[in-house]
Amino acid sequence: MADIEIVHQHKLGRTIARQRAVEALNRLVKKHTIMGAWNGDVYTVRSPATGTFTVGENAVIVSLTLGILTKSIKPRIDAGIREELAAALDT
């Protein structure tokens, strides 16, 4: 079971939502040194957590399992992801 599960609804459609999700993830990657890669509409995270950011027609779904070192800052990571998604998708 994932440590962080987020479903962020949007009304942008898949194409625009993906563009904005890429921008949000780029900021998160720089801030948290996240390693991963896009495959279509799914960004697969490999480090420091494992999981996915999936862009859909009406929502971006985040499912992450944190590593031992990152579990202690789970609330901060969760809040940061939610903040980036809101900034990117709610405007």
Side-chain angles (χ1 to χ4, degrees), residues 11-27:
K11 297 180 181 179
L12 302 172
R14 185 182 315 263
T15 302
I16 294 172
R18 187 177 188 288
Q19 291 170 349
R20 292 188 182 182
V22 166
E23 294 168 6
L25 269 165
N26 285 342
R27 288 188 294 272

Side-chain angles (χ1 to χ4, degrees), residues 47-58:
S47 176
T50 58
T52 57
F53 284 72
T54 305
V55 179
E57 189 65 33
N58 300 309

Side-chain angles (χ1 to χ4, degrees), residues 4-67:
I4 296 177
E5 295 267 354
I6 300 169
V7 177
H8 190 96
Q9 301 290 330
H10 64 80
K11 297 180 181 179
L12 302 172
R14 185 182 315 263
T15 302
I16 294 172
R18 187 177 188 288
Q19 291 170 349
R20 292 188 182 182
V22 166
E23 294 168 6
L25 269 165
N26 285 342
R27 288 188 294 272
L28 288 167
V29 164
K30 284 183 180 181
K31 189 174 186 179
H32 299 290
T33 318
I34 296 169
M35 304 268 205
W38 282 100
N39 184 10
D41 291 329
V42 178
Y43 184 86
T44 301
V45 178
R46 295 187 314 262
S47 176
T50 58
T52 57
F53 284 72
T54 305
V55 179
E57 189 65 33
N58 300 309
V60 173
I61 301 167
V62 180
S63 178
L64 294 175
T65 301
L66 302 176

Side-chain angles (χ1 to χ4, degrees), residues 61-83:
I61 301 167
V62 180
S63 178
L64 294 175
T65 301
L66 302 176
I68 291 173
L69 297 175
T70 54
K71 283 190 187 218
S72 64
I73 58 171
K74 174 185 171 184
R76 193 170 82 189
I77 294 169
D78 186 280
I81 293 169
R82 290 177 189 276
E83 183 179 303

